[in-house]
Amino acid sequence: MLSILSIISALWMGALVSIGGLVIPLLFKILEKSIAGKIAGEIFINLNIFGLASGLIIILLLNQAVKSSGKQLFSSGITLHVKKCKFYALWMILCIIMLIFITYIIYNAKYTSDFILANKITLEMFKVLHTFSSIIYGVLTLFSIILYIQVTKLLQNNYR
């Protein structure tokens, strides 16, 4: 079960790093900005859904590991790693919820003519939302790296 946890956290971290650091910058380098923006919006929507599912699965697997193993398997040090993993997974889920909301506003305001906010969003508001979402994405990526490290420590301590 802990191996599955490690795989999921690695996939989540890898998706965040590769999409944010490689895919999106290449889109804007290769394609016209409006097309790249539309594709990026779709990618981020799907990445957020994947992230929510990953975060919930990680928390459920951690809970299941603690329940099924009893106190013999988890020493106080390992229990601390479980709590840290849950902490980072919960914060990541909160970040994703904020990103979903922001992505929804930006995407619909730019690419849907019948959306209520389409006529109300200004260039300044777009810049603020984009900056805020970039900061949240950076924090989310950092948390994914920390979560992966914590899950790896948990896995190593469990098999000693």
Side-chain angles (χ1 to χ4, degrees), residues 1-158:
M1 186 174 329
L2 291 176
S3 298
I4 295 170
L5 184 67
S6 179
I7 291 168
I8 292 171
S9 65
L11 286 173
W12 193 5
M13 176 189 64
L16 286 166
V17 171
S18 61
I19 289 173
L22 182 66
V23 174
I24 300 302
L26 278 174
L27 278 176
F28 281 94
K29 185 176 182 180
I30 295 170
L31 300 173
E32 180 186 325
K33 281 189 179 184
S34 63
I35 295 170
K38 189 168 186 169
I39 294 170
E42 290 288 336
I43 290 171
F44 283 130
I45 289 168
N46 289 306
L47 181 62
N48 290 336
I49 292 167
F50 173 73
L52 273 178
S54 298
L56 292 173
I57 290 169
I58 286 171
I59 290 172
L60 290 173
L61 286 175
L62 286 168
N63 285 336
Q64 186 62 33
V66 170
K67 286 179 185 175
S68 66
S69 66
K71 294 185 180 179
Q72 305 92 342
L73 182 60
F74 287 98
S75 66
S76 60
I78 296 174
T79 303
L80 178 63
H81 288 300
V82 170
K83 288 179 181 178
K84 286 180 181 180
C85 290
K86 286 182 185 178
F87 171 80
Y88 287 112
L90 282 171
W91 270 106
M92 291 172 77
I93 289 171
L94 288 174
C95 288
I96 289 171
I97 291 169
M98 287 188 284
L99 283 174
I100 288 172
F101 178 71
I102 293 169
T103 303
Y104 179 77
I105 290 173
I106 291 172
Y107 184 81
N108 282 306
K110 287 189 68 120
Y111 301 109
T112 307
S113 59
D114 61 340
F115 190 68
I116 295 170
L117 292 177
N119 297 322
K120 295 182 180 179
I121 194 166
T122 65
L123 185 58
E124 281 302 312
M125 185 177 173
F126 174 79
K127 287 179 184 178
V128 168
L129 288 173
H130 189 271
T131 301
F132 187 59
S133 66
S134 296
I135 292 168
I136 294 171
Y137 190 87
V139 169
L140 183 61
T141 303
L142 178 65
F143 279 175
S144 74
I145 294 167
I146 295 169
L147 176 66
Y148 178 73
I149 291 168
Q150 291 300 318
V151 167
T152 303
K153 286 180 183 179
L154 180 63
L155 195 60
Q156 288 171 348
N157 287 336
N158 193 40

